[in-house]
Amino acid sequence: MLPADPTAPAADAEAVPISQGKVLYAEYCASCHGANLEGQPNWRSPGEDGRLPAPPHDDAGHTWHHSDRMLFEYTKLGGQAALANSGVDLDSGMPGFGSLLSDAQIRGILNFIKSFWPERAQRYQADRTEEAAQQEGRNQ
């Protein structure tokens, strides 16, 4: 089990239902990541401001390559702060939603996004989450 960290999702943590996650995604995420999780055009290339556009959250993107903890932190704290916690210095345009959404709402949004991934992506992401939790346990 992960330590009591306000930015870390517990594996068995409560989340709002996927149906509510869908509504919250439409309200808070779709303007950048697309109504159909398609992301912004040219999301792999920095824009004029030097920032990468919002990536897709379907299996065409890389969201499923990250652990639950990283996805949760990225959403709650914002990209730049979450990456800094991992030792990465990157000017991310992803804002933090921790002051707008509860932890359960964030988990609900993430569960909604995951529901669109094919089984192979879901398995890969679950494995990444388990590996990250094991690594965190070794680092304590």
Side-chain angles (χ1 to χ4, degrees):
M1 187 73 144
L2 295 175
D5 176 345
T7 64
D12 59 352
E14 186 176 318
V16 301
I18 288 176
S19 60
Q20 188 177 351
K22 177 181 179 178
V23 171
L24 292 166
Y25 177 90
E27 182 175 349
Y28 291 97
C29 312
S31 62
C32 292
H33 292 282
N36 297 308
L37 292 83
E38 72 273 14
Q40 294 177 332
N42 302 313
W43 63 273
R44 289 185 175 110
S45 301
E48 291 180 12
D49 62 1
R51 291 179 171 170
L52 292 168
H57 286 316
D58 60 14
D59 66 329
H62 57 79
T63 307
W64 58 275
H65 295 182
H66 301 290
S67 70
D68 283 348
R69 183 179 183 130
M70 174 53 86
L71 297 175
F72 183 85
E73 285 186 4
Y74 215 89
T75 306
K76 183 170 183 162
L77 303 176
Q80 194 151 352
L83 290 169
N85 285 348
S86 297
V88 176
D89 183 22
L90 181 74
D91 184 18
S92 171
M94 172 75 174
F97 288 91
S99 65
L100 301 172
L101 297 166
S102 70
D103 290 358
Q105 289 173 316
I106 291 170
R107 289 184 192 95
I109 291 169
L110 295 173
N111 288 339
F112 166 71
I113 290 168
K114 290 179 187 184
S115 74
F116 279 82
W117 299 341
E119 187 176 324
R120 67 173 172 72
Q122 290 182 24
R123 278 194 315 267
Y124 179 89
Q125 195 273 334
D127 289 346
R128 293 284 297 160
T129 295
E130 180 62 28
E131 290 168 9
Q134 290 174 2
Q135 182 64 37
E136 180 69 27
R138 286 191 291 269
N139 290 339
Q140 293 181 16

